[in-house]
Amino acid sequence: MSQAQLALPGVVTETQAEWVWSEDSAEEMDVPDFVHETVMRAEVVAALAPAAGLYVDATVGGGGHTEAILEASPDAKVIAFDRDDQALDAARARLARFGDRVRLVKTPFGRVGDALSELGVENVAGLCADLGVSSPQLDDAARGMSFRREGPIDMRMDPSDGETALELIARLTDEDLANVIFEYGDERRSRRIARSVKRALSDNQLHTTLDLRRAIVRAVGPVRVGGVDPATRTFQALRIAVNAELDELSSLLGSLPEVLAPGGVAAILSFHSLEDRLVKRAFQQREQWEPLTKKPLVATEEESTGNPRARSAKLRAARRLEP
Ligand SMILES: C[S@@+](CC[C@H](N)C(=O)[O-])C[C@H]1O[C@@H](n2cnc3c(N)ncnc32)[C@H](O)[C@@H]1O
C-alpha cells in the first residue's frame, strides 16, 4: 500500500488515555501531568514543509512535533512512534482531536523500517526525530533518570523492556563500566567513578539514584565544574547505554533511505555531540542526501531563554535524492 492510500485507525480507540494535559482535570482525575516543551517546533515544521501525505514522528513524546505537522497541513497524516507507554498515552490524549490522521505505535525507532512494512507502508514524505528524553521522563523519580530525585536506578525509556541501569552496573566489569562512562559521558574520571560505584554495589550501598550520586561524589568530590553537577556525565552515560541510544540512532539513520520517498525530508534534533556526529555523517553521503542545513540550526535566543533544554539542540535536515 502506498502512503497516499493508507487509512489510519483512530488514536483514542486503541487504548484508554490515562494522562491529561489540563491541570484542572489532572487534579480531578488524580493523574500526573505530562508537560514537555517542544523544542524548535517551527524550525522542524519549516524543514518538513508538510503537505498532503504521510509523515513519521520517530519520537512522539508529548506529541508536540506531531501536532505541529498535523496543524501545518490538513492533508498530512502522521505515524508516531515511541517506546514509552506514558508518552504514548499523553500523545494520544493531546492528539485525539486529529482522529484518524494520526496513528501511535509503540516501537523503538531503530525498527521504523520494519514497523512501517508491517503496517503496509511503502515510504513516507518526511520524518522527524527529537532525540533523547522528555522532561516527564527526567522529572519522574520512579524512572531513575535524575540524580536530583530519589528513585530506583532504572533509566529505561520503556520500563517493560531490557536491563535496568543497576543491572547493567552489576553485569559490567569495572573496566567496561569505566569505558561506558568515558565514551558516552565524555567523563575523564571514569575509572575512579566506576571503581567507586562497583564498591558501593558490593558494600550493599547502591539502591537508589541518590546512592549512585553519592558513589560518584565519593570518587570525584562534590564540586560543580562549569556549573555542572559531578553526577551529570555518569548519569547521561548510563542512560545512553541502558537504552542503546546510539545503536538506535544508527539503525534509524541507516533505514532512512528506504523509509523516505525520493524527495522526502528527514529532520533530526540532537542534544549532544555523539548524536550530532552520527547525524552529520549520515547526511554527508551526498549520493543519497541533499543537505537542507549547511550548519546545524540552533534554537533562537528567545526559545533558549524560556526552555533550557533548547540550548543544546541542533537540528539537521536533508532531502533524500532520487536513487
Ligand atoms: C524529547 S522527547 C520528544 C518530545 C516531542 N517531540 C514533543 O514535542 O512532545 C523524546 C521521546 O523519544 C522517545 N524515544 C527516545 N528514544 C527512542 C527510541 N529509540 N525509540 C522510540 N522512542 C524513543 C522517548 O521515550 C521520548 O518520549
Side-chain angles (χ1 to χ4, degrees):
M1 190 192 296
S2 79
Q3 49 153 310
Q5 295 165 304
L6 185 83
L8 298 175
V11 287
V12 198
T13 49
E14 285 191 9
T15 59
Q16 205 80 68
E18 287 161 10
W19 289 46
V20 294
W21 284 80
S22 124
E23 276 183 22
D24 289 351
S25 48
E27 224 166 74
E28 270 167 33
M29 296 168 66
D30 196 24
V31 293
D33 244 356
F34 189 106
V35 179
H36 175 88
E37 218 169 308
T38 297
V39 172
M40 298 183 74
R41 180 180 165 121
E43 291 85 346
V44 168
V45 170
L48 293 177
L54 183 58
Y55 293 80
V56 163
D57 183 346
T59 54
V60 71
H65 287 110
T66 291
E67 177 182 69
I69 295 167
L70 294 168
E71 281 176 350
S73 166
D75 300 314
K77 291 181 172 183
V78 177
I79 300 185
F81 293 85
D82 210 291
R83 53 171 25 176
D84 179 345
D85 285 313
Q86 291 179 343
L88 288 163
D89 285 344
R92 188 171 292 116
R94 181 177 186 172
L95 301 168
R97 69 189 162 103
F98 295 103
D100 67 0
R101 293 178 58 209
V102 61
R103 174 165 189 164
L104 298 166
V105 180
K106 184 180 180 188
T107 296
F109 59 58
R111 284 197 66 253
V112 66
D114 289 343
L116 291 177
S117 300
E118 284 157 22
L119 293 169
V121 176
E122 206 176 291
N123 54 37
V124 297
L127 175 147
C128 67
D130 175 12
L131 302 172
V133 286
S134 65
S135 306
Q137 284 170 332
L138 273 178
D139 292 346
D140 181 354
R143 309 299 294 264
M145 294 192 194
S146 169
F147 50 80
R148 292 201 184 86
R149 294 160 210 273
E150 182 138 45
I153 305 171
D154 189 320
M155 304 196 189
R156 290 171 298 173
M157 290 185 198
D158 177 358
S160 69
D161 189 33
E163 194 174 48
T164 67
L166 187 57
E167 287 162 351
L168 178 80
I169 291 167
R171 178 172 60 78
L172 296 181
T173 61
D174 288 26
E175 192 183 344
D176 288 344
L177 181 58
N179 289 342
V180 163
I181 296 170
F182 180 74
E183 274 178 40
Y184 298 156
D186 199 16
E187 171 60 84
R188 288 183 295 110
R189 303 161 296 181
S190 56
R191 288 192 190 291
R192 253 187 287 165
I193 293 173
R195 263 200 308 275
S196 177
V197 169
K198 290 293 269 190
R199 195 174 316 122
L201 184 68
S202 56
D203 291 348
N204 198 20
Q205 281 178 2
L206 195 68
H207 302 288
T208 72
T209 46
L210 297 192
D211 295 336
L212 178 56
R213 183 176 180 280
R214 268 189 288 274
I216 297 164
V217 168
R218 266 198 297 278
V220 298
V223 180
R224 294 166 70 90
V225 182
V228 175
D229 189 277
T232 305
R233 289 168 179 272
T234 302
F235 268 69
Q236 173 188 298
L238 289 170
R239 197 204 76 214
I240 290 175
V242 161
N243 295 291
E245 291 180 33
L246 299 178
D247 290 346
E248 277 289 310
L249 178 57
S250 295
S251 302
L252 172 70
L253 293 168
S255 63
L256 284 180
E258 277 141 51
V259 162
L260 286 173
V265 169
I268 316 261
L269 267 172
S270 58
F271 292 86
H272 55 77
S273 57
L274 296 170
E275 290 172 344
D276 184 53
R277 202 175 307 150
L278 290 177
V279 180
K280 180 180 172 183
R281 225 181 278 152
F283 289 167
Q284 269 167 352
Q285 313 292 317
R286 288 299 148 80
E287 66 291 351
Q288 281 177 335
W289 296 106
E290 174 202 349
L292 299 180
T293 48
K294 249 191 189 164
K295 285 189 174 171
L297 297 183
V298 295
T300 60
E301 221 174 292
E302 193 187 349
E303 180 174 3
S304 297
T305 308
N307 180 9
R309 195 169 172 275
R311 284 179 208 152
S312 47
K314 287 203 162 83
L315 174 65
R316 290 188 190 267
R319 188 186 309 284
R320 193 201 144 191
L321 297 171
E322 297 281 346

PDB file of all heavy atoms in Angstrom, residues 36 38 58-65 81-84 87 94 107-110 130-134 137 157 248 309, ligand 1:
ATOM      1  N   HIS A  36       5.923  18.636  28.427  1.00  0.00           N
ATOM      2  CA  HIS A  36       7.222  18.690  27.760  1.00  0.00           C
ATOM      3  C   HIS A  36       7.162  19.815  26.749  1.00  0.00           C
ATOM      4  O   HIS A  36       6.294  19.807  25.862  1.00  0.00           O
ATOM      5  CB  HIS A  36       7.526  17.366  27.049  1.00  0.00           C
ATOM      6  CG  HIS A  36       8.798  17.435  26.248  1.00  0.00           C
ATOM      7  ND1 HIS A  36      10.019  17.143  26.813  1.00  0.00           N
ATOM      8  CD2 HIS A  36       9.037  17.787  24.966  1.00  0.00           C
ATOM      9  CE1 HIS A  36      10.962  17.315  25.882  1.00  0.00           C
ATOM     10  NE2 HIS A  36      10.392  17.706  24.755  1.00  0.00           N
ATOM     11  N   THR A  38       8.018  21.570  23.580  1.00  0.00           N
ATOM     12  CA  THR A  38       8.567  21.139  22.287  1.00  0.00           C
ATOM     13  C   THR A  38       9.688  22.061  21.833  1.00  0.00           C
ATOM     14  O   THR A  38       9.538  23.276  21.852  1.00  0.00           O
ATOM     15  CB  THR A  38       7.434  21.111  21.246  1.00  0.00           C
ATOM     16  OG1 THR A  38       6.489  20.144  21.687  1.00  0.00           O
ATOM     17  CG2 THR A  38       7.948  20.724  19.866  1.00  0.00           C
ATOM     18  N   ALA A  58       9.360  10.002  14.793  1.00  0.00           N
ATOM     19  CA  ALA A  58      10.016   8.828  15.388  1.00  0.00           C
ATOM     20  C   ALA A  58       9.995   8.870  16.913  1.00  0.00           C
ATOM     21  O   ALA A  58      10.202   7.844  17.568  1.00  0.00           O
ATOM     22  CB  ALA A  58      11.464   8.745  14.882  1.00  0.00           C
ATOM     23  N   THR A  59       9.753  10.055  17.474  1.00  0.00           N
ATOM     24  CA  THR A  59       9.820  10.237  18.936  1.00  0.00           C
ATOM     25  C   THR A  59       8.649  11.102  19.383  1.00  0.00           C
ATOM     26  O   THR A  59       8.836  12.282  19.678  1.00  0.00           O
ATOM     27  CB  THR A  59      11.133  10.961  19.309  1.00  0.00           C
ATOM     28  OG1 THR A  59      11.198  12.180  18.540  1.00  0.00           O
ATOM     29  CG2 THR A  59      12.362  10.121  19.024  1.00  0.00           C
ATOM     30  N   VAL A  60       7.465  10.528  19.476  1.00  0.00           N
ATOM     31  CA  VAL A  60       6.289  11.389  19.661  1.00  0.00           C
ATOM     32  C   VAL A  60       6.296  12.116  21.001  1.00  0.00           C
ATOM     33  O   VAL A  60       5.816  13.243  21.101  1.00  0.00           O
ATOM     34  CB  VAL A  60       4.971  10.611  19.452  1.00  0.00           C
ATOM     35  CG1 VAL A  60       4.688   9.639  20.577  1.00  0.00           C
ATOM     36  CG2 VAL A  60       3.809  11.574  19.285  1.00  0.00           C
ATOM     37  N   GLY A  61       6.823  11.496  22.068  1.00  0.00           N
ATOM     38  CA  GLY A  61       6.857  12.155  23.383  1.00  0.00           C
ATOM     39  C   GLY A  61       5.481  12.671  23.755  1.00  0.00           C
ATOM     40  O   GLY A  61       4.497  11.928  23.726  1.00  0.00           O
ATOM     41  N   GLY A  62       5.387  13.956  24.079  1.00  0.00           N
ATOM     42  CA  GLY A  62       4.089  14.547  24.410  1.00  0.00           C
ATOM     43  C   GLY A  62       3.271  14.913  23.180  1.00  0.00           C
ATOM     44  O   GLY A  62       2.161  15.416  23.301  1.00  0.00           O
ATOM     45  N   GLY A  63       3.824  14.727  21.997  1.00  0.00           N
ATOM     46  CA  GLY A  63       3.046  14.937  20.771  1.00  0.00           C
ATOM     47  C   GLY A  63       3.228  16.299  20.123  1.00  0.00           C
ATOM     48  O   GLY A  63       2.527  16.631  19.160  1.00  0.00           O
ATOM     49  N   GLY A  64       4.191  17.090  20.604  1.00  0.00           N
ATOM     50  CA  GLY A  64       4.338  18.470  20.119  1.00  0.00           C
ATOM     51  C   GLY A  64       4.666  18.583  18.639  1.00  0.00           C
ATOM     52  O   GLY A  64       4.038  19.371  17.922  1.00  0.00           O
ATOM     53  N   HIS A  65       5.647  17.811  18.172  1.00  0.00           N
ATOM     54  CA  HIS A  65       6.002  17.933  16.753  1.00  0.00           C
ATOM     55  C   HIS A  65       4.920  17.320  15.859  1.00  0.00           C
ATOM     56  O   HIS A  65       4.615  17.848  14.792  1.00  0.00           O
ATOM     57  CB  HIS A  65       7.374  17.289  16.479  1.00  0.00           C
ATOM     58  CG  HIS A  65       8.515  18.110  17.026  1.00  0.00           C
ATOM     59  ND1 HIS A  65       9.263  17.705  18.112  1.00  0.00           N
ATOM     60  CD2 HIS A  65       9.005  19.319  16.660  1.00  0.00           C
ATOM     61  CE1 HIS A  65      10.175  18.640  18.369  1.00  0.00           C
ATOM     62  NE2 HIS A  65      10.038  19.622  17.507  1.00  0.00           N
ATOM     63  N   PHE A  81       5.900   7.246  16.597  1.00  0.00           N
ATOM     64  CA  PHE A  81       6.498   6.164  17.375  1.00  0.00           C
ATOM     65  C   PHE A  81       6.966   6.668  18.740  1.00  0.00           C
ATOM     66  O   PHE A  81       7.364   7.819  18.887  1.00  0.00           O
ATOM     67  CB  PHE A  81       7.730   5.613  16.648  1.00  0.00           C
ATOM     68  CG  PHE A  81       7.415   4.905  15.363  1.00  0.00           C
ATOM     69  CD1 PHE A  81       7.265   5.600  14.181  1.00  0.00           C
ATOM     70  CD2 PHE A  81       7.243   3.526  15.348  1.00  0.00           C
ATOM     71  CE1 PHE A  81       6.973   4.951  12.996  1.00  0.00           C
ATOM     72  CE2 PHE A  81       6.939   2.861  14.167  1.00  0.00           C
ATOM     73  CZ  PHE A  81       6.813   3.581  12.985  1.00  0.00           C
ATOM     74  N   ASP A  82       6.957   5.793  19.710  1.00  0.00           N
ATOM     75  CA  ASP A  82       7.681   5.998  20.964  1.00  0.00           C
ATOM     76  C   ASP A  82       7.827   4.619  21.605  1.00  0.00           C
ATOM     77  O   ASP A  82       7.106   3.689  21.256  1.00  0.00           O
ATOM     78  CB  ASP A  82       6.945   6.961  21.915  1.00  0.00           C
ATOM     79  CG  ASP A  82       7.914   7.737  22.807  1.00  0.00           C
ATOM     80  OD1 ASP A  82       8.539   7.098  23.690  1.00  0.00           O
ATOM     81  OD2 ASP A  82       8.090   8.954  22.631  1.00  0.00           O
ATOM     82  N   ARG A  83       8.789   4.528  22.525  1.00  0.00           N
ATOM     83  CA  ARG A  83       8.945   3.255  23.240  1.00  0.00           C
ATOM     84  C   ARG A  83       8.421   3.363  24.661  1.00  0.00           C
ATOM     85  O   ARG A  83       8.541   2.418  25.435  1.00  0.00           O
ATOM     86  CB  ARG A  83      10.419   2.826  23.217  1.00  0.00           C
ATOM     87  CG  ARG A  83      11.280   3.906  23.715  1.00  0.00           C
ATOM     88  CD  ARG A  83      12.742   3.653  23.969  1.00  0.00           C
ATOM     89  NE  ARG A  83      13.440   2.621  23.283  1.00  0.00           N
ATOM     90  CZ  ARG A  83      14.760   2.424  23.421  1.00  0.00           C
ATOM     91  NH1 ARG A  83      15.458   3.217  24.219  1.00  0.00           N
ATOM     92  NH2 ARG A  83      15.373   1.472  22.786  1.00  0.00           N
ATOM     93  N   ASP A  84       7.860   4.531  25.001  1.00  0.00           N
ATOM     94  CA  ASP A  84       7.434   4.799  26.372  1.00  0.00           C
ATOM     95  C   ASP A  84       5.902   4.888  26.412  1.00  0.00           C
ATOM     96  O   ASP A  84       5.313   5.768  25.778  1.00  0.00           O
ATOM     97  CB  ASP A  84       8.072   6.134  26.802  1.00  0.00           C
ATOM     98  CG  ASP A  84       7.674   6.542  28.216  1.00  0.00           C
ATOM     99  OD1 ASP A  84       6.701   5.976  28.765  1.00  0.00           O
ATOM    100  OD2 ASP A  84       8.334   7.438  28.763  1.00  0.00           O
ATOM    101  N   ALA A  87       4.424   8.273  27.471  1.00  0.00           N
ATOM    102  CA  ALA A  87       4.471   9.273  26.407  1.00  0.00           C
ATOM    103  C   ALA A  87       3.343   9.000  25.408  1.00  0.00           C
ATOM    104  O   ALA A  87       2.637   9.923  24.977  1.00  0.00           O
ATOM    105  CB  ALA A  87       5.826   9.233  25.710  1.00  0.00           C
ATOM    106  N   ARG A  94      -3.513  14.228  23.746  1.00  0.00           N
ATOM    107  CA  ARG A  94      -3.305  15.533  23.106  1.00  0.00           C
ATOM    108  C   ARG A  94      -3.747  15.539  21.636  1.00  0.00           C
ATOM    109  O   ARG A  94      -4.202  16.548  21.113  1.00  0.00           O
ATOM    110  CB  ARG A  94      -1.830  15.893  23.189  1.00  0.00           C
ATOM    111  CG  ARG A  94      -1.503  17.244  22.573  1.00  0.00           C
ATOM    112  CD  ARG A  94      -0.044  17.539  22.759  1.00  0.00           C
ATOM    113  NE  ARG A  94       0.306  18.869  22.319  1.00  0.00           N
ATOM    114  CZ  ARG A  94       1.505  19.413  22.529  1.00  0.00           C
ATOM    115  NH1 ARG A  94       2.433  18.735  23.180  1.00  0.00           N
ATOM    116  NH2 ARG A  94       1.778  20.621  22.110  1.00  0.00           N
ATOM    117  N   THR A 107       7.042   1.282  19.445  1.00  0.00           N
ATOM    118  CA  THR A 107       8.173   0.570  18.832  1.00  0.00           C
ATOM    119  C   THR A 107       9.412   1.433  18.964  1.00  0.00           C
ATOM    120  O   THR A 107       9.337   2.644  18.778  1.00  0.00           O
ATOM    121  CB  THR A 107       7.902   0.343  17.313  1.00  0.00           C
ATOM    122  OG1 THR A 107       6.772  -0.498  17.166  1.00  0.00           O
ATOM    123  CG2 THR A 107       9.076  -0.312  16.627  1.00  0.00           C
ATOM    124  N   PRO A 108      10.567   0.831  19.266  1.00  0.00           N
ATOM    125  CA  PRO A 108      11.792   1.624  19.212  1.00  0.00           C
ATOM    126  C   PRO A 108      12.054   2.074  17.780  1.00  0.00           C
ATOM    127  O   PRO A 108      11.849   1.299  16.837  1.00  0.00           O
ATOM    128  CB  PRO A 108      12.888   0.653  19.676  1.00  0.00           C
ATOM    129  CG  PRO A 108      12.241  -0.631  19.973  1.00  0.00           C
ATOM    130  CD  PRO A 108      10.794  -0.566  19.637  1.00  0.00           C
ATOM    131  N   PHE A 109      12.505   3.321  17.612  1.00  0.00           N
ATOM    132  CA  PHE A 109      12.593   3.850  16.241  1.00  0.00           C
ATOM    133  C   PHE A 109      13.677   3.175  15.402  1.00  0.00           C
ATOM    134  O   PHE A 109      13.703   3.316  14.183  1.00  0.00           O
ATOM    135  CB  PHE A 109      12.704   5.370  16.209  1.00  0.00           C
ATOM    136  CG  PHE A 109      13.878   5.987  16.933  1.00  0.00           C
ATOM    137  CD1 PHE A 109      15.176   5.654  16.610  1.00  0.00           C
ATOM    138  CD2 PHE A 109      13.662   6.936  17.918  1.00  0.00           C
ATOM    139  CE1 PHE A 109      16.258   6.246  17.256  1.00  0.00           C
ATOM    140  CE2 PHE A 109      14.733   7.534  18.584  1.00  0.00           C
ATOM    141  CZ  PHE A 109      16.035   7.180  18.253  1.00  0.00           C
ATOM    142  N   GLY A 110      14.565   2.423  16.050  1.00  0.00           N
ATOM    143  CA  GLY A 110      15.532   1.643  15.273  1.00  0.00           C
ATOM    144  C   GLY A 110      14.846   0.622  14.377  1.00  0.00           C
ATOM    145  O   GLY A 110      15.427   0.128  13.416  1.00  0.00           O
ATOM    146  N   ASP A 130      13.201  13.750  17.556  1.00  0.00           N
ATOM    147  CA  ASP A 130      13.601  14.700  18.599  1.00  0.00           C
ATOM    148  C   ASP A 130      14.220  13.821  19.683  1.00  0.00           C
ATOM    149  O   ASP A 130      13.515  13.243  20.510  1.00  0.00           O
ATOM    150  CB  ASP A 130      12.319  15.413  19.059  1.00  0.00           C
ATOM    151  CG  ASP A 130      12.519  16.351  20.228  1.00  0.00           C
ATOM    152  OD1 ASP A 130      13.674  16.648  20.567  1.00  0.00           O
ATOM    153  OD2 ASP A 130      11.501  16.789  20.790  1.00  0.00           O
ATOM    154  N   LEU A 131      15.545  13.680  19.618  1.00  0.00           N
ATOM    155  CA  LEU A 131      16.219  12.596  20.351  1.00  0.00           C
ATOM    156  C   LEU A 131      16.265  12.834  21.861  1.00  0.00           C
ATOM    157  O   LEU A 131      15.997  13.933  22.335  1.00  0.00           O
ATOM    158  CB  LEU A 131      17.631  12.422  19.796  1.00  0.00           C
ATOM    159  CG  LEU A 131      17.679  12.108  18.295  1.00  0.00           C
ATOM    160  CD1 LEU A 131      19.113  12.150  17.780  1.00  0.00           C
ATOM    161  CD2 LEU A 131      17.047  10.745  17.996  1.00  0.00           C
ATOM    162  N   GLY A 132      16.639  11.785  22.550  1.00  0.00           N
ATOM    163  CA  GLY A 132      16.843  11.916  23.999  1.00  0.00           C
ATOM    164  C   GLY A 132      15.578  11.695  24.780  1.00  0.00           C
ATOM    165  O   GLY A 132      14.661  11.025  24.317  1.00  0.00           O
ATOM    166  N   VAL A 133      15.553  12.273  25.980  1.00  0.00           N
ATOM    167  CA  VAL A 133      14.436  12.015  26.883  1.00  0.00           C
ATOM    168  C   VAL A 133      13.529  13.237  26.971  1.00  0.00           C
ATOM    169  O   VAL A 133      13.933  14.349  26.659  1.00  0.00           O
ATOM    170  CB  VAL A 133      14.929  11.643  28.298  1.00  0.00           C
ATOM    171  CG1 VAL A 133      15.480  10.248  28.327  1.00  0.00           C
ATOM    172  CG2 VAL A 133      15.942  12.643  28.810  1.00  0.00           C
ATOM    173  N   SER A 134      12.308  12.989  27.435  1.00  0.00           N
ATOM    174  CA  SER A 134      11.371  14.091  27.628  1.00  0.00           C
ATOM    175  C   SER A 134      11.502  14.599  29.062  1.00  0.00           C
ATOM    176  O   SER A 134      12.038  13.907  29.935  1.00  0.00           O
ATOM    177  CB  SER A 134       9.945  13.598  27.382  1.00  0.00           C
ATOM    178  OG  SER A 134       9.603  12.636  28.360  1.00  0.00           O
ATOM    179  N   GLN A 137      10.038  12.224  31.653  1.00  0.00           N
ATOM    180  CA  GLN A 137      10.895  11.063  31.951  1.00  0.00           C
ATOM    181  C   GLN A 137      11.970  11.471  32.957  1.00  0.00           C
ATOM    182  O   GLN A 137      12.287  10.718  33.876  1.00  0.00           O
ATOM    183  CB  GLN A 137      11.546  10.539  30.665  1.00  0.00           C
ATOM    184  CG  GLN A 137      10.585   9.754  29.786  1.00  0.00           C
ATOM    185  CD  GLN A 137      11.162   9.435  28.405  1.00  0.00           C
ATOM    186  OE1 GLN A 137      11.996  10.169  27.881  1.00  0.00           O
ATOM    187  NE2 GLN A 137      10.693   8.350  27.814  1.00  0.00           N
ATOM    188  N   MET A 157      13.729   3.869  29.074  1.00  0.00           N
ATOM    189  CA  MET A 157      12.620   4.628  28.492  1.00  0.00           C
ATOM    190  C   MET A 157      11.378   3.738  28.399  1.00  0.00           C
ATOM    191  O   MET A 157      10.266   4.218  28.517  1.00  0.00           O
ATOM    192  CB  MET A 157      12.996   5.115  27.098  1.00  0.00           C
ATOM    193  CG  MET A 157      14.057   6.185  27.117  1.00  0.00           C
ATOM    194  SD  MET A 157      14.327   6.784  25.443  1.00  0.00           S
ATOM    195  CE  MET A 157      15.896   7.576  25.635  1.00  0.00           C
ATOM    196  N   GLU A 248      20.360   2.707  18.419  1.00  0.00           N
ATOM    197  CA  GLU A 248      19.027   3.024  17.900  1.00  0.00           C
ATOM    198  C   GLU A 248      19.114   4.100  16.820  1.00  0.00           C
ATOM    199  O   GLU A 248      18.508   3.992  15.754  1.00  0.00           O
ATOM    200  CB  GLU A 248      18.138   3.542  19.044  1.00  0.00           C
ATOM    201  CG  GLU A 248      17.498   2.454  19.872  1.00  0.00           C
ATOM    202  CD  GLU A 248      16.410   1.745  19.096  1.00  0.00           C
ATOM    203  OE1 GLU A 248      15.536   2.405  18.522  1.00  0.00           O
ATOM    204  OE2 GLU A 248      16.450   0.509  19.033  1.00  0.00           O
ATOM    205  N   ARG A 309      16.346  23.331  27.895  1.00  0.00           N
ATOM    206  CA  ARG A 309      16.624  22.133  27.105  1.00  0.00           C
ATOM    207  C   ARG A 309      16.954  22.492  25.648  1.00  0.00           C
ATOM    208  O   ARG A 309      17.698  21.783  24.983  1.00  0.00           O
ATOM    209  CB  ARG A 309      15.408  21.197  27.172  1.00  0.00           C
ATOM    210  CG  ARG A 309      15.711  19.815  26.711  1.00  0.00           C
ATOM    211  CD  ARG A 309      14.626  18.822  26.999  1.00  0.00           C
ATOM    212  NE  ARG A 309      14.987  17.586  26.336  1.00  0.00           N
ATOM    213  CZ  ARG A 309      14.721  17.329  25.076  1.00  0.00           C
ATOM    214  NH1 ARG A 309      14.045  18.192  24.354  1.00  0.00           N
ATOM    215  NH2 ARG A 309      15.121  16.193  24.538  1.00  0.00           N
TER     216      ARG A 309
HETATM  217  C1  LIG B   1      12.394  14.714  23.554  1.00  0.00           C
HETATM  218  S1  LIG B   1      11.096  13.604  23.671  1.00  0.00           S
HETATM  219  C2  LIG B   1      10.075  14.020  22.294  1.00  0.00           C
HETATM  220  C3  LIG B   1       9.185  15.185  22.568  1.00  0.00           C
HETATM  221  C4  LIG B   1       8.221  15.528  21.448  1.00  0.00           C
HETATM  222  N1  LIG B   1       8.901  15.875  20.232  1.00  0.00           N
HETATM  223  C5  LIG B   1       7.300  16.640  21.867  1.00  0.00           C
HETATM  224  O1  LIG B   1       7.430  17.735  21.358  1.00  0.00           O
HETATM  225  O2  LIG B   1       6.454  16.421  22.747  1.00  0.00           O
HETATM  226  C6  LIG B   1      11.840  12.148  23.120  1.00  0.00           C
HETATM  227  C7  LIG B   1      10.940  10.941  23.115  1.00  0.00           C
HETATM  228  O3  LIG B   1      11.578   9.969  22.335  1.00  0.00           O
HETATM  229  C8  LIG B   1      11.370   8.715  22.902  1.00  0.00           C
HETATM  230  N2  LIG B   1      12.466   7.862  22.441  1.00  0.00           N
HETATM  231  C9  LIG B   1      13.772   8.019  22.677  1.00  0.00           C
HETATM  232  N3  LIG B   1      14.475   7.047  22.078  1.00  0.00           N
HETATM  233  C10 LIG B   1      13.567   6.284  21.430  1.00  0.00           C
HETATM  234  C11 LIG B   1      13.675   5.139  20.599  1.00  0.00           C
HETATM  235  N4  LIG B   1      14.842   4.577  20.321  1.00  0.00           N
HETATM  236  N5  LIG B   1      12.551   4.620  20.076  1.00  0.00           N
HETATM  237  C12 LIG B   1      11.344   5.198  20.326  1.00  0.00           C
HETATM  238  N6  LIG B   1      11.186   6.265  21.109  1.00  0.00           N
HETATM  239  C13 LIG B   1      12.283   6.810  21.660  1.00  0.00           C
HETATM  240  C14 LIG B   1      11.374   8.955  24.382  1.00  0.00           C
HETATM  241  O4  LIG B   1      10.673   7.934  25.051  1.00  0.00           O
HETATM  242  C15 LIG B   1      10.697  10.317  24.467  1.00  0.00           C
HETATM  243  O5  LIG B   1       9.325  10.174  24.694  1.00  0.00           O
END
